[in-house]
Amino acid sequence: MNAYNEAIEYLYTRLPMFTRDGTSAFKKDLDNTIKLCAALDNPQRKFKTLHIAGTNGKGSTSHMLAAILAEAGYKTGLYTSPHLLDFRERIRVNGQLCEKEFVVDFVNTHRELIEEVSPSFFEITVAMAFDYFEKNKVDIAVIEVGLGGRLDSTNIIQPLLSVITNIGFDHMNLLGNTLVEIAGEKAGIIKRNTPVVISEYAEETAAVFLNKAAIEHAPIQFASDKYETKMLGVDQDYLTVQATDTAGHSADYQLDLKGSYQVKNLAGVLLAVDELRQLGFEISDQHVHQALKNVQATTGIQGRWQQLSKDPFIICDTGHNEDGIHEVLKNLATTAYDKLHFVIGAMRDKDLSHMLPYLPKDASYYFSAPDMPRAMPSEELRKEAMEFGLTGLDYPSVGAAFDAAKEAYQQGNLIFVGGSNFVVAEVLASLTQE
């Protein structure tokens, strides 16, 4: 293969892909990842790592920590998933996408290995990221869990620090039907003698983390016990959050990630920075303040309460489970508009009873289906939504739904795009082509 597009097409078509195929692509062991990395001479053992898990907030937390480390002068790898526009979003160093040539060379060099092991798309992507970070001699890499934790392909690393953001209902068909069961899967990233930060204390799940940490002799701290964070305000540029530690010292932080849920994430980020300092990393308060103001520019993160346009007024957010939707609703409640146009789509395997009942009934809905086999047909989504009092029309594509919302838009309205990563991705792609 000589072309990047050929290499990506090979990976997409040859390998099982969770975002496209659903649970059939999820491998319930680490065997393939171990085989792949062994064949690559275990690159993941040759650089330092942070490991980030959680139902919501793990992506934002990963990007914030990567931005802080890069601002402090460390060559910082960042592995995240899924991507929104470009496969290479998954693998970055100091915010820069991995080169197309690297992807092509990796596939060409290891094609025989890929076909021998038959990994999932996610498994080979993880191995590719580890290989890239090792070849680029990163000082540290921030590794975001894909799904769960215990059986996630990223869980072959031995990190300096583990961070678990929060626990909520998502992927119950794979992770369990109770918060305790889901927490047990996330707790699987807690490693022996390795400190762990839990961003948010919750009565129902705290014992799961405490017990696992005790078994592993892992020092554990809950960030919400160490930092009290509250939103001071939000404007066109920044969310301002005040953080007060247990000694009573307060500082105000400006975040360019403006969703209200970042108030919770910030506590975990600040405690993780404290832990990194204890481990010898030289990170000043100025580094933290400057990095948090520039996370989007530094890391390229998109889709977190992101304003796409002022006129028409368009916001997107990738929140797609119960907790994520609650946070979206909090943000909508603090946003000024007189009519809401909601462009929405969902996957077939989503339990929509954890999302649809909470959505505003006075909005106009534009039901759509992302362009992938796993997507729920828009007509089916509309019928389910009707049972919860949500009304609107169904459209054959995300693009058609988005166009209809823009056509109906009037001054003072808000168009919100969400319900699925893939709805947001298709709208972002359409805007980049305009």
Side-chain angles (χ1 to χ4, degrees):
M1 292 175 212
N2 297 316
Y4 170 73
N5 289 341
E6 288 180 55
I8 291 298
E9 186 65 20
Y10 169 79
L11 293 177
Y12 282 158
T13 56
R14 174 73 175 77
L15 307 177
M17 188 176 181
F18 181 82
T19 53
R20 180 190 63 219
D21 305 321
T23 55
S24 63
F26 183 68
K27 304 291 183 69
K28 294 190 175 183
D29 58 56
L30 302 178
D31 294 352
N32 284 349
T33 310
I34 292 169
K35 288 177 187 174
L36 290 170
C37 287
L40 298 172
D41 196 24
N42 287 310
Q44 77 282 1
R45 297 178 184 171
K46 299 173 184 177
F47 53 88
K48 297 170 182 174
T49 57
L50 304 184
H51 206 189
I52 319 294
T55 303
N56 294 294
K58 66 181 186 291
S60 296
T61 296
S62 296
H63 283 81
M64 285 191 276
L65 287 170
I68 290 167
L69 285 160
E71 181 67 29
Y74 295 98
K75 190 173 187 180
T76 306
L78 176 61
Y79 175 77
T80 59
S81 63
H83 63 272
L84 291 175
L85 298 177
D86 187 326
F87 166 81
R88 296 176 301 139
E89 293 168 25
R90 296 169 180 252
I91 307 171
R92 300 175 185 262
V93 172
N94 284 1
Q96 298 300 307
L97 305 177
C98 69
E99 299 82 5
K100 291 182 177 180
E101 294 77 12
F102 167 78
V103 177
V104 175
D105 289 346
F106 184 91
V107 172
N108 282 332
T109 302
H110 302 294
R111 186 165 179 172
E112 187 176 319
L113 173 67
I114 292 169
E115 296 186 359
E116 175 191 336
V117 175
S118 293
S120 69
F121 179 85
F122 187 78
E123 287 168 334
I124 196 63
T125 303
V126 168
M128 186 187 299
F130 293 162
D131 188 58
Y132 186 74
F133 297 151
E134 190 272 327
K135 282 182 166 56
N136 279 269
K137 303 292 184 253
V138 299
D139 297 315
I140 189 166
V142 180
I143 309 295
E144 180 197 10
V145 166
L147 193 158
R150 181 175 64 93
L151 299 175
D152 188 76
S153 298
T154 63
N155 204 31
I156 68 167
I157 62 174
Q158 294 293 326
L160 297 176
L161 172 69
S162 303
V163 179
I164 301 174
T165 56
N166 85 331
I167 303 301
F169 289 107
D170 200 10
H171 302 298
M172 285 92 79
N173 54 338
L174 293 171
L175 303 180
N177 293 312
T178 68
L179 292 178
V180 168
E181 289 176 317
I182 295 169
E185 293 298 316
K186 309 289 185 188
I189 73 163
I190 298 174
K191 300 294 196 304
R192 194 156 193 83
N193 299 319
T194 301
V196 57
V197 166
I198 313 296
S199 294
E200 198 177 338
Y201 181 91
E203 192 72 40
E204 189 170 351
T205 57
V208 176
F209 299 124
L210 290 167
N211 290 339
K212 175 63 171 175
I215 291 168
E216 300 295 344
H217 301 286
I220 182 170
Q221 296 185 80
F222 292 86
S224 52
D225 291 342
K226 301 292 182 178
Y227 285 96
E228 180 184 348
T229 53
K230 65 177 181 179
M231 184 169 73
L232 297 181
V234 63
D235 58 25
Q236 290 277 25
D237 299 313
Y238 300 114
L239 168 72
T240 303
V241 182
Q242 183 180 81
T244 306
D245 64 21
T246 51
H249 301 129
S250 291
D252 296 347
Y253 297 88
Q254 291 182 306
L255 284 65
D256 69 342
L257 302 181
K258 295 183 286 184
S260 62
Y261 43 82
Q262 305 301 353
V263 176
K264 294 179 182 177
N265 292 334
L266 181 61
V269 168
L270 293 177
L271 186 54
V273 169
D274 291 342
E275 287 295 308
L276 287 169
R277 288 166 171 161
Q278 290 291 320
L279 291 166
F281 285 81
E282 295 182 2
I283 303 171
S284 71
D285 291 344
Q286 182 60 30
H287 290 145
V288 176
H289 283 277
Q290 190 63 27
L292 292 176
K293 291 175 70 173
N294 295 287
V295 176
Q296 293 181 69
T298 302
T299 67
I301 187 174
Q302 295 195 82
R304 272 64 168 191
W305 198 253
Q306 180 179 355
Q307 183 173 316
L308 303 178
S309 170
K310 290 183 181 179
D311 188 19
F313 185 23
I314 305 171
I315 291 175
C316 70
D317 193 277
T318 53
H320 57 275
N321 51 42
E322 184 174 344
D323 286 350
I325 289 299
H326 282 309
E327 295 299 336
V328 163
L329 296 178
K330 285 182 190 176
N331 285 308
L332 286 172
T334 60
T335 303
Y337 61 87
D338 51 32
K339 180 175 175 57
L340 176 62
H341 304 272
F342 202 127
V343 179
I344 188 172
M347 298 295 105
R348 290 177 186 269
D349 54 2
K350 280 289 179 184
D351 180 357
L352 297 182
S353 67
H354 285 275
M355 177 171 73
L356 294 178
Y358 307 107
L359 297 182
K361 294 177 174 53
D362 57 352
S364 293
Y365 287 87
Y366 302 77
F367 300 102
S368 65
D371 184 19
M372 57 172 51
R374 195 176 143 224
M376 176 177 286
S378 55
E379 182 180 5
E380 185 178 329
L381 177 58
R382 179 181 61 80
K383 289 177 179 176
E384 282 211 38
M386 283 179 62
E387 296 179 13
F388 296 98
L390 309 181
T391 58
L393 300 177
D394 56 84
Y395 296 86
S397 68
V398 171
F402 186 49
D403 287 343
K406 289 189 291 184
E407 184 71 24
Y409 176 88
Q410 296 182 6
Q411 195 73 30
N413 292 181
L414 167 63
I415 298 173
F416 178 79
V417 179
S420 164
N421 284 310
F422 309 107
V423 174
V424 171
E426 290 191 25
V427 166
L428 287 172
S430 72
L431 291 175
T432 59
Q433 294 164 6
E434 289 182 358

